[in-house]
Amino acid sequence: GSPFGCNDIRIISPAVARHRSDHGNDHLVNTPLPAANCAAESAPLALRGEALGVVSFYRYRDEVPFEEEDIALASDVCAHAALCIENARRYTQERTIAATVKRRLLPQRPATPSTVEISHLHLPGPGGGGAWFDVIELAGARTALIVGDVAGRGMATATTMGQLRTALHSLAALDLEPDELMARLSDTAARLAAEREALPVGDPQHREPLTAGCLIAVYDSVDQECVIVRAGLPEPFAVLPDGSSVPLSIPAGPALVGTGSAPFPATTVTLPAGSTLAICNEGIPVPSTSLDSLLEEGAAQPLADLCDTIAYALRDSNSKEQLVLLARTKALPAEQVLTCPLPADPEAAPLARAAVRDQLESWEIDEEAAFTTELVASELVGNAVRYGTPPIRLRLILDRLLTCEVSDTASSAPHVKHARTIDETGRGLFIIATVTDHWGTHYTAQGKTVWAQQPIGATKH
């Protein structure tokens, strides 16, 4: 009986429940009295033929015995409790699957660029969510820092996050400007939203409109500048090397699935080497202080330690999913960059070859890589002279890969031609695509830059 001298309820294991439910699922069954002068009844927690447990009811000493009304009430209570337990079990299972899917869709090994130090903090929150981040290395010693957030939770949110992240990687390979990249990502999100609206009325996703935001920051380690565009997410924070914070007033573009056709304005800010950029999926509620204060205090800390400091400050604020991406900038040394203006005439190609040969000699690049780079520079400069518009500029960048760039002010798009056997021209880009690892075109407001990358190879010593 109850040690407190009152009614007592006991839940028995599912194994016992299954044994007892085999002898009667739909009514209370008698159980041996646990003590003298104590009445006891049991009821199974069963749903759709599956026993989830057994509830035992006790009345102690001189209390009124169980009556038919008590049995009916207990049966209704047990049926409702079984349904609640089953719903909780299904919700927990779905949430676990969604969390597992999301972990798999997030970057398993984020890129570690040589010109940006990266660390991130991800606090999932009690209900999960659709926040993600990406670090994508671009040509020309540039790095794209991306934070996105899909509203909602569960499998639908996790899969939508994965679709947007995959689309973003495919678009980033086109080397678009951040504002155009965001506009095309918004088009993709709009198509996903239209597909969701076209689902049958009874589908749960039909009643949940797609809402998503994103922030893209592209850092150039040569010019030490960062181009930022945001859609629906809060403004980023920046802390300079001396520990002072710099307000980044980035115009807010529309959400990714917003109405209308408002543009996504891009802003260029200067970030000297040693600056710390913090991008969040939403406002970070830090009790008794602010996020920019924590960043200022941790300006000299390693980024991993700074993430720990922020996580400790947020220990009591776990009502929502929180994602913070920290990036500490580095500058590519000037001696690893060659910039050479060229004339817009046939003399440009020989001048480019000579400049490349001298620079690669000083960098002690092996002969095979040097010959390939000289060939690439000659072909790119030849195309710029023939089809481009002056001024023409050659640039070599020595980082993990050796990058050769040729810029001009024309907006025409180069493309690989399939030259016939008797054709004397049209093989330049085909040769470049054959002898290099990657090549592409980057468009700016001033024109375009055609680039090609290849491994450095062994040095001469």
Side-chain angles (χ1 to χ4, degrees):
S2 171
F4 305 105
C6 59
N7 293 348
D8 182 43
I9 298 177
R10 180 179 63 175
I11 297 180
I12 302 176
S13 68
V16 177
R18 282 191 293 271
H19 172 72
R20 293 185 176 178
S21 63
D22 290 340
H23 298 83
N25 271 340
D26 300 326
H27 60 275
L28 298 175
V29 296
N30 293 326
T31 60
L33 299 181
N37 301 322
C38 182
E41 299 289 349
S42 296
L45 294 175
L47 183 68
R48 291 186 286 272
E50 180 181 0
L52 306 179
V54 172
V55 179
S56 294
F57 301 86
Y58 299 96
R59 279 187 170 173
Y60 188 54
R61 293 181 180 174
D62 297 330
E63 293 180 344
V64 179
F66 290 112
E67 298 179 352
E68 292 296 329
E69 292 80 1
D70 298 323
I71 295 176
L73 177 61
S75 297
D76 292 342
V77 170
C78 290
H80 183 71
L83 181 61
C84 292
I85 293 173
E86 176 67 11
N87 289 341
R89 187 170 67 174
R90 288 175 178 271
Y91 172 79
T92 303
Q93 183 180 21
E94 180 181 351
R95 185 177 180 275
T96 301
I97 294 174
T100 302
V101 170
K102 180 180 177 181
R103 283 196 301 269
R104 294 297 184 184
L105 292 176
L106 286 173
Q108 301 301 309
R109 293 183 179 180
T112 54
S114 60
T115 55
V116 181
E117 180 187 354
I118 299 295
S119 186
H120 75 280
L121 170 66
H122 183 211
L123 303 176
W132 90 91
F133 77 96
D134 265 307
V135 180
I136 304 175
E137 293 187 78
L138 303 175
R142 294 174 297 130
T143 304
L145 310 170
I146 302 162
V147 170
D149 196 358
V150 179
R153 62 188 66 179
M155 282 295 298
T157 300
T159 53
T160 301
M161 181 209 76
Q163 289 173 307
L164 291 179
R165 181 170 176 260
T166 301
L168 190 57
H169 271 265
S170 299
L171 293 171
L174 300 177
D175 207 351
L176 304 172
E177 286 290 277
D179 53 348
E180 186 177 357
L181 178 60
M182 187 72 80
R184 296 198 182 189
L185 182 65
S186 181
D187 293 340
T188 301
R191 284 192 291 270
L192 295 177
E195 292 176 0
R196 180 175 294 192
E197 293 176 357
L199 292 173
V201 178
D203 194 300
Q205 290 190 48
H206 178 81
R207 301 188 297 270
E208 298 179 5
L210 176 59
T211 303
C214 187
L215 187 147
I216 302 174
V218 176
Y219 173 68
D220 188 330
S221 62
V222 177
D223 298 330
Q224 299 182 44
E225 291 181 342
C226 189
V227 182
I228 305 175
V229 58
R230 66 188 182 102
L233 295 192
E235 294 180 345
F237 298 95
V239 179
L240 297 180
D242 60 1
S244 61
S245 61
V246 177
L248 299 181
S249 299
I250 309 300
L256 289 182
V257 199
T259 58
S261 57
F264 296 94
T267 303
T268 301
V269 297
T270 300
L271 291 180
S275 301
T276 301
L277 181 67
I279 307 173
C280 311
N281 69 317
E282 62 177 49
I284 303 296
V286 182
S288 71
T289 183
S290 60
L291 181 59
D292 52 346
S293 298
L294 292 177
L295 294 174
E296 289 180 2
E297 295 171 1
Q301 284 185 301
L303 291 187
D305 295 344
L306 184 54
C307 282
D308 292 341
T309 301
I310 298 174
Y312 183 77
L314 292 172
R315 63 189 183 277
D316 297 326
S317 303
N318 60 348
S319 59
K320 295 182 179 180
E321 183 181 33
Q322 305 287 351
L323 176 63
V324 182
L325 177 63
L326 300 180
R328 185 160 292 162
T329 62
K330 303 177 184 178
L332 194 68
E335 59 270 16
Q336 293 180 220
V337 180
L338 166 68
T339 303
C340 179
L342 297 171
D345 56 45
E347 292 296 324
L351 292 174
R353 288 194 296 269
V356 168
R357 190 181 310 113
D358 293 341
Q359 185 61 63
L360 297 185
E361 180 70 24
S362 66
W363 285 341
E364 299 183 345
I365 302 298
D366 69 277
E367 294 182 0
E368 181 178 355
F371 175 80
T372 301
T373 306
E374 190 175 336
L375 173 63
V376 169
S378 180
E379 294 293 343
L380 291 180
V381 170
N383 284 344
V385 171
R386 186 177 296 108
Y387 305 110
T389 304
I392 299 174
R393 185 193 68 176
L394 167 70
R395 189 165 74 165
L396 290 182
I397 300 175
L398 179 64
D399 195 17
R400 291 178 177 174
L401 297 174
L402 181 58
T403 304
C404 179
E405 300 179 347
V406 175
S407 304
D408 67 84
T409 57
S411 59
S412 56
H415 60 276
V416 177
K417 294 182 179 180
H418 297 280
R420 296 174 297 177
T421 305
I422 60 175
D423 290 342
E424 297 182 0
T425 61
R427 297 179 177 85
L429 290 179
F430 178 78
I431 294 174
I432 292 172
T434 303
V435 300
T436 62
D437 284 7
H438 309 282
W439 77 276
T441 305
H442 174 63
Y443 292 93
T444 64
Q446 294 75 33
K448 70 175 184 298
T449 298
V450 185
W451 53 268
Q453 291 181 319
Q454 59 177 316
I456 298 174
T459 58
K460 294 180 179 180
H461 301 289

